[in-house]
Amino acid sequence: MREPVWDLHNVVVGVDGSEQSCRAATVSADLARRNGAVLHLVTIVRPPEGWWGIVGSPPTPSALSKSLTDAQREILDSVVASIDLSEIEVIQVEDVGDPARMLLEYAERVEAEVMVIGRRGAGLIERIMLGSVANRVVHDAECPVLLVP
Ligand SMILES: Nc1ncnc2c1ncn2[C@@H]1O[C@H](COP(=O)(O)OP(=O)(O)OP(=O)(O)O)[C@@H](O)[C@H]1O
Ligand SMILES: [Mg+2]
């Protein structure tokens, strides 16, 4: 029989507080557990318009308003509390910037073998198709992407 060629060491999942991303996190946790892979729970806060200002560099998380970083912390806490993470090495990541770009860069940095994301997220607009973050990740990822409905 053919040897498996898709060895998972690093699984990256994007969480944004939505039900879909929670389902994505559940799927990613199962994948990580079965494969003995590290699970990276990544949440990105998009800075409010105008934050990039004259200097053109993103604000550090500590410079962001406390309510935003608190919300980010709550998103991770609620995911961690609601899914089974037993027997998994979990890394929680909070960062600031453009969610799709940051997710893609992070996955490349840790050489993730798979990215797991929800088909839609916390956005308020009812879409027929993919959310904009999911769309960009699916288009631009260097690794396989698992899209969770
Ligand atoms: N800020 C974020 N940080 C981490 N992961 C995210 C973030 N935003 C979205 N994701 C991931 O992408 C998936 C799809 O969300 P997306 O933002 O594309 O849809 P949406 O919110 O419905 O639409 P839009 O944001 O375009 O209005 C989410 O389920 C989540 O897995
Ligand atoms: Mg969104």
Side-chain angles (χ1 to χ4, degrees):
M1 208 176 76
R2 198 167 74 98
E3 287 292 311
V5 290
W6 198 42
D7 252 350
L8 302 187
H9 303 287
N10 289 283
V11 174
V12 168
V13 60
V15 289
D16 67 350
S18 64
E19 207 178 293
Q20 281 94 335
S21 83
C22 201
R23 281 204 292 277
T26 305
V27 169
S28 68
D30 284 347
L31 258 187
R33 183 180 302 103
R34 284 162 193 265
N35 289 275
V38 178
L39 178 63
H40 303 256
L41 295 172
V42 182
T43 180
I44 310 293
V45 168
R46 195 195 295 274
E49 296 295 327
W51 255 100
W52 306 78
I54 326 162
V55 284
S57 58
T60 59
S62 61
L64 263 188
S65 82
K66 194 172 176 304
S67 61
L68 272 183
T69 46
D70 282 355
Q72 189 172 37
R73 192 62 252 162
E74 275 168 30
I75 286 171
L76 281 176
D77 286 346
S78 80
V79 169
V80 168
S82 60
I83 66 175
D84 177 13
L85 294 172
S86 58
E87 298 157 49
I88 308 173
E89 184 183 335
V90 178
I91 295 177
Q92 297 182 37
V93 182
E94 296 169 60
D95 215 334
V96 178
D98 174 65
R101 190 166 62 82
M102 302 293 282
L103 279 169
L104 289 163
E105 282 177 8
Y106 184 82
E108 277 177 44
R109 203 175 325 133
V110 301
E111 297 179 358
E113 286 83 9
V114 62
M115 291 176 80
V116 185
I117 49 167
R119 183 161 61 194
R120 279 182 289 266
L124 296 176
I125 305 166
E126 268 296 323
R127 283 171 206 277
I128 311 165
M129 315 264 276
L130 287 177
S132 59
V133 175
N135 188 45
R136 271 190 59 201
V137 168
V138 165
H139 271 99
D140 295 342
E142 300 281 342
C143 65
V145 177
L146 188 55
L147 197 66
V148 179

